[in-house]
Amino acid sequence: MDRQFRLGRGRLVTELLVLSSCALLLAACGRPPLADELPRPVAVGRTAEGEIRLVVPLCEGEAIKSVEVQNHRTARPIWRVSRPARSEEQQEVIVLGDAHGFTREDVPLRSPLPANMGVTVELADGPPLGSGFLLKDVPEDFARTDRVLTIDDEKVPEEEFRRNAAAEYC
């Protein structure tokens, strides 16, 4: 009887393993495919005065909800604005530290700027945009030009960046 008990118990364990495997397989088959891990990129340039400017490529009908710049190493926000003043004034170029165009400056700009920063742009409806960059990689000679640094560390004219983003994401 002891042997029959062990055989029955072994069969029960095997059946449970098979059923569990089938359940896991069915659950995995029902999952949607994984999305692209990288968000739509934000490019970085400089204003005529040499300040950091963020170039946000919006698709038609999109609106910015908030913009946050973080210290990439610590993940702490160094600047955050939200609630655009008017949707018709949606800016696709945002100057780091300039809250103009937003009704809230949730985190005032902290200086000095960290060497490695991350940018997250939350849309009113849709997935976020983002990028990361090293401050030293945004050359001072970008001031008074239309050149921007892309997420791939390419230095291109702003119009080319926007055209490529629209073709890929809009």
Side-chain angles (χ1 to χ4, degrees):
M1 179 154 188
D2 188 32
R3 183 170 185 259
Q4 280 183 325
F5 176 75
R6 278 187 274 145
L7 286 174
R9 189 171 137 201
R11 192 174 335 168
L12 180 62
V13 168
T14 303
E15 288 173 0
L16 285 174
L17 285 173
V18 169
L19 285 173
S20 315
S21 298
C22 289
L24 287 172
L25 183 61
L26 287 173
C29 289
R31 283 186 169 170
L34 295 175
D36 187 5
E37 293 180 21
L38 296 175
R40 186 179 342 153
V42 173
V44 184
R46 293 214 180 247
T47 66
E49 295 78 29
E51 298 171 305
I52 297 292
R53 66 184 174 99
L54 310 172
V55 179
V56 182
L58 296 176
C59 297
E60 189 173 328
E62 290 181 330
I64 295 172
K65 183 177 178 181
S66 67
V67 177
E68 181 175 287
V69 178
Q70 312 89 13
N71 179 326
H72 190 69
R73 189 179 58 77
T74 64
R76 290 188 180 153
I78 60 168
W79 186 64
R80 179 179 164 78
V81 289
S82 61
R83 296 186 187 165
R86 291 186 207 100
S87 61
E88 64 270 11
E89 287 184 11
Q90 274 296 312
Q91 299 173 350
E92 292 186 47
V93 175
I94 298 161
V95 177
L96 182 60
D98 183 359
H100 177 76
F102 292 89
T103 60
R104 289 190 58 180
E105 186 172 31
D106 305 306
V107 177
L109 183 63
R110 297 190 177 134
S111 58
L113 294 177
N116 192 350
M117 290 183 262
V119 179
T120 303
V121 177
E122 187 179 359
L123 299 177
D125 186 23
L129 288 78
S131 194
F133 64 96
L134 295 172
L135 191 57
K136 70 178 180 67
D137 289 345
V138 188
E140 292 289 334
D141 65 2
F142 270 18
R144 295 185 190 86
T145 73
D146 70 336
R147 301 198 51 85
V148 295
L149 180 71
T150 69
I151 196 167
D152 300 320
D153 289 329
E154 292 180 289
K155 297 172 182 174
V156 299
E158 181 179 328
E159 186 56 38
E160 181 180 329
F161 168 72
R162 288 184 185 285
R163 195 173 43 253
N164 292 342
E168 190 168 344
Y169 297 99
C170 297

